[in-house]
């Protein structure tokens, strides 16, 4: 991404006094012991990788490398090697977020606040655009942003790492925020698993009569399975070619799974090839003139119906 969105001006040795922290920094908590370890390493080995900054007026805004900059302050260095780049405000914000995400040092709430900065003015990025920039799905972005809708008391608990984003999906089913907080604190204190949290939430919902608010997933009637009418021809094709077919399951969106077994057959490659050719005829059209022999002897297949 760097090559596409920024121009490297030069690598300079800059005074620490001229470098200010980025307002886009998402990480608010830095482990003091880890910073001291980094400072000792930098004292012994030097700065292996320069920090990255961009020029703003007569000063420089830090883009990437806050831990290295903090360690340099601990060591009392007057200057530090810095790569100076020409980059926009938006790209500076995204770069800072990406660097932290790649190091997996952000807490879920810090990550959510970072995304929130990007969806608000002046950047106004969509969730889809953020997902592309940081290499995550839009669903992950949406779920992370939803953490900011939780009571502040739960947000304060989450950095400890016991109550996760997955825990909060159950907690949000409870409309009473005070009960959400009480359950979250108990989950944090007692180390509940996600499954235990879900069980406790369901108990509260039953007591308060909120069970109807939960989304119920109804299974589709068998008649809605578009493949039901061709299962019989598939099994008949298997009988004709000598292979065994089991676990015929419809997976939705035109996808289905077959487990095809050709063990114990004298010529398994020929039998499998014959089966696939006949199956293709069943699904898509006439049998081709020249069959192709497969090297496969036993397969679990996922086939998309065109």
């Amino acid at each position: 991404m760097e090559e596409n969105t920024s121009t490297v001006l030069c690598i300079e040795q800059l005074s620490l006094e001229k470098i200010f922290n980025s307002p886009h920094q998402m990480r608010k908590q830095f482990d003091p012991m880890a910073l001291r370890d980094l400072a000792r390493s930098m004292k012994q080995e030097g700065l292996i990788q320069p920090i990255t900054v961009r020029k703003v007026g007569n000063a420089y805004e830090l883009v990437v490398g806050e831990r290295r900059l903090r360690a340099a302050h601990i060591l009392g260095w007057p200057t530090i090697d810095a790569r100076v780049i020409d980059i926009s405000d938006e790209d500076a914000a995204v770069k800072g977020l990406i660097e932290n995400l790649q190091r997996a040092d952000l807490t879920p709430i810090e990550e959510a606040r970072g995304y929130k900065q990007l969806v608000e003015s002046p950047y106004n990025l969509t969730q889809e655009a953020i997902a592309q920039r940081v290499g995550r799905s839009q669903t992950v972005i949406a779920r992370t942003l939803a953490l900011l809708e939780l009571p502040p008391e739960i947000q304060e608990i989450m950095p400890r790492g016991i109550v996760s984003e997955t825990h909060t999906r159950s907690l949000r089913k409870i409309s009473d925020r005070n009960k959400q907080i009480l359950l979250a604190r108990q989950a944090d204190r007692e180390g509940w698993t996600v499954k235990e949290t879900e069980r406790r939430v369901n108990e509260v919902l039953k007591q308060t009569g909120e069970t109807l608010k939960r989304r119920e997933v109804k299974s589709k009637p068998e008649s809605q399975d578009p493949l039901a009418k061709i299962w019989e021809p598939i099994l008949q094709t298997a009988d004709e070619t000598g292979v065994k077919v089991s676990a015929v399951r419809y997976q939705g969106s035109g996808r289905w799974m077959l487990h095809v077994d050709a063990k114990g057959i004298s010529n398994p490659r020929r039998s499998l090839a014959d089966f696939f050719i006949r199956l293709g005829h069943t699904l898509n059209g006439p049998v081709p003139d020249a069959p192709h022999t497969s090297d496969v002897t036993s397969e679990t297949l996922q086939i998309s119906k065109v």
Side-chain angles (χ1 to χ4, degrees), residues 39-167:
R40 281 194 293 268
S41 175
M42 287 169 54
K43 184 177 181 179
Q44 293 175 0
E45 305 295 337
L47 185 65
I48 304 300
Q49 183 179 6
I51 64 173
T52 302
V53 300
R54 66 174 185 144
K55 192 170 178 60
V56 180
N58 295 324
Y60 297 87
E61 178 187 313
L62 182 69
V63 177
V64 173
E66 181 157 349
R67 291 180 69 252
R68 281 166 278 164
L69 183 63
R70 285 175 177 251
H73 278 288
I74 292 174
L75 293 170
W77 287 0
T79 61
I80 189 170
D81 289 342
R83 189 167 59 115
V84 183
I85 62 175
D86 183 13
I87 191 172
S88 68
D89 287 347
E90 176 184 310
D91 285 327
V94 175
K95 275 183 179 291
L97 176 59
I98 290 174
E99 192 242 0
N100 282 297
L101 288 172
Q102 289 174 339
R103 294 179 184 276
D105 287 336
L106 288 180
T107 68
I109 297 300
E110 287 172 341
E111 184 179 341
R113 289 170 181 161
Y115 294 146
K116 189 171 186 290
Q117 286 188 28
L118 295 177
V119 299
E120 292 180 341
S121 180
Y123 312 114
N124 299 316
L125 296 183
T126 64
Q127 292 182 11
E128 291 79 4
I130 296 173
Q132 291 178 357
R133 299 292 291 271
V134 302
R136 298 196 171 191
S137 70
Q138 187 271 336
T139 301
V140 170
I141 305 300
R143 285 176 175 172
T144 305
L145 281 168
L147 295 177
L148 299 179
E149 300 172 5
L150 294 167
E153 293 85 352
I154 298 180
Q155 295 185 34
E156 292 172 4
I157 289 172
M158 294 189 68
R160 292 202 281 269
I162 297 174
V163 175
S164 66
E165 183 271 332
T166 311
H167 286 78

